[in-house]
Amino acid sequence: MNGAEYLVKFFENKNVDIIFGYPGGKVIFLYDVLARSSIKHILTRHEQGAVHAADGYARVTGRPGVCFATSGPGATNLVTGIANAYLDSVPLIAVTGQVGLSDIGRDSFQEADIIGITMPITKHSYMVKELEKLPAVMEEAWNVATTGRPGPVLVDIPSDIFSGSVDFSTVQKKIATRKVPLKNGLDEQLQKVVDALKNSKRPLLLAGGGIIASQAWDQLKDLKDYLQIPVVTTLMGKGAIPEKEEGVLGMVGMHGKPFANLALSSCDLLLGIGARFSDRITGKPEKFLPDTVIVHVDIDPAELCKNVRTEIPVVCDAGKFLTELLGRLKKEKVRLRLNEWHRQIAEWRQKYPLTYEKNGSLKPQSIIEEVARIVGDRAIVVTDVGQHQMFVAQYYPIGGIRNFVSSGGLGTMGFGLPAAIGAAFGRPGEIVLLFSGDGSIQMNIQELATLAQHQLPVKIFIMNNSCLGMVRQWQELFFGKRYAHTIFTSNPDFVGLAGAYGIKALRISRPEEIKGAVIQAVRTPGPVLVECAVDQEENVFPIIPPGGSPHEMLGRWQGETHVSRIG
Amino acid sequence: MRHTLAVLVENQPGVLSHVAGLFSRRGYNIESLAVGQTEDPSVSRITLVVEGDEKVIEQVSKQLNKQVEVIKVNDITNEETVDRQLLLLKVAADTAVRQEIMQIVEIFRCRIVDIGRRSLIVEATGDEEKIEAIIKSLRPFGIQELVRTGKVAMVRGAK
């Protein structure tokens, strides 16, 4: 058996049903074998498309995404997608071809040191230099990607490892067991959390992506119901709990819901679970909630006390923590009296709702609201990066599990279309909604070809404001309206472009056209692109200005037409 | 404050660059680094000296611990340790001052390992204070070349 055959067999044995990739000279042996396998291979039109698709697949299924690329430019084209998966803790295995062993280090044709390049953006990376080590490396790579805090792993394989043969039945497959983070002291920390909750008058639970990675949505809901504790989420935590649930306030942070941010800045106990307190949530970390007791639960010990001070750090899997905490609270019959806190939040909700001005022009928010009304909260919702992403985070309630796919940590424009393709392959038969912008979609627009080829039910809504909306907004608010290189004066005809790829498309430019277009898009089988000519001047509010704290929001409040600080 | 970390890692190519890369990527400063095989040839030990407050050192240790090839991280700053650096120093040494240099070398109990027509190479091992003192004493004669290793350290006694 040669190395390529072994590798394909390995993925078959791991029940990998789909691999995204792009062939090339140094993986030609691998592709020769793959073509004869039961595993489906999806040929994207760029390696970045392949890695984002694998990422999207992993996010909606919970299983690791797998992608292949050839050496050199193939491998380097994966870099953005790997970094994207790393920052959002997505399990991913990227296999790259490498030049033959004897050619390594000579700047050979299509050679790049992909291990060196990706070292800071993978959980770990391997180069297989001996065929006999391939089984152990693959087992270990799989293990590293999928256990603990998930993440991307890269395996670089020289071409002669693919073509070389060995009797794999005699080869060592066992991997050394890795050290596990010390779980000592969990009991003690749990008790501290219970005591802190007892003493709290205004507790708040911040749910991050770790809840989803740990599949702890039921446990989260149980704890929320038992304690009646209000819940806010991060962008990555969106979908950790159905957003229509009583007491779920939605997203906090730079573009969080105003009342959710007010709750965040006023809580006396913050229970952060599987969230990494990124700067989008905290603003200036040293100014973040100076008088609040912060509990931080994370499976990765290095996250604790990394960004914010933490009174009670807990190293634990989110699901296990929630189960144990609830058990202890029930045993001690802990009940919180939070009527005053709920009344206060309800008042903020009423006084500072999430609003936008309906002035007759086509608004991205109304499109998103209309789609949500028609399609419902159980759809798979994918976004690209920019203003539209924040509008979706604000206005599209997510109800189902693993139903929200968005590039959180890296903020990768161009992520949306390939990720939507990966999501559609991961959950066949379900409708995938992709919200993108005219800037973002053009960063991987070649994947329309992949979409067309497979006739996936991806409904694309391009919020076309003929500009890079989020940067334009910053220029308007913080750079004296100097719109340096953010206005697109020559956008393509997206409807015509979709047609060229063989995708059905339509264009709307008035609010009254939204409903008809959404219904048509959803009823038409296969992919549909809806180009929405939206108001160029629409901004995402609220916004916490750079360096600000959660309560320092700019926005339009209670029908005001001008932008002001809250309060 | 300066901290000394003893980091056991798998003895594999690329590990050192991985560890060093982690420091530069996260903006921590390595003051000194020494690496070599241990009694187990599959394991290397990296002795790192890092400047930072408790918070920084805790984060450094955690990040190191996360790496797949890192076996164990020990902060031995507050332990009783023996620590050494190696110094090689080429000093200008005309006949007029040669005797004086040799006396200084004698006092510090270091060695002259090469004699040239106009220079001497001095070898010294010792803790940082001693190495600094030797350099200070020989500087007036004219240091032509100086090379020193990072610190290696070992905890005293039964550990």
Side-chain angles (χ1 to χ4, degrees), chain A residues 394-470:
Chain A
Q394 292 176 334
Y395 288 92
Y396 205 119
I398 301 293
I401 288 155
R402 294 192 181 282
N403 274 5
F404 181 63
V405 175
S406 193
S407 167
L410 196 67
T412 311
M413 287 175 73
F415 168 78
L417 176 55
I421 291 171
F425 277 115
R427 303 248 294 268
E430 294 185 46
I431 284 190
V432 177
L433 304 168
L434 167 63
F435 293 94
S436 189
D438 52 316
S440 278
I441 195 86
Q442 291 187 71
M443 280 213 179
N444 270 319
I445 202 158
Q446 74 287 347
E447 299 309 331
L448 284 178
T450 316
L451 183 60
Q453 182 187 341
H454 297 281
Q455 286 299 304
L456 299 163
V458 176
K459 315 298 173 185
I460 305 171
F461 294 86
I462 299 179
M463 305 295 172
N464 183 359
N465 55 8
S466 300
C467 69
L468 299 174
M470 193 57 99

Side-chain angles (χ1 to χ4, degrees), chain A residues 113-131:
Chain A
D113 172 18
I114 196 64
I115 298 287
I117 293 168
T118 56
M119 211 177 255
I121 52 165
T122 53
K123 212 176 153 190
H124 195 58
S125 38
Y126 300 86
M127 182 190 267
V128 183
K129 284 185 169 166
E130 293 157 63
L131 189 50

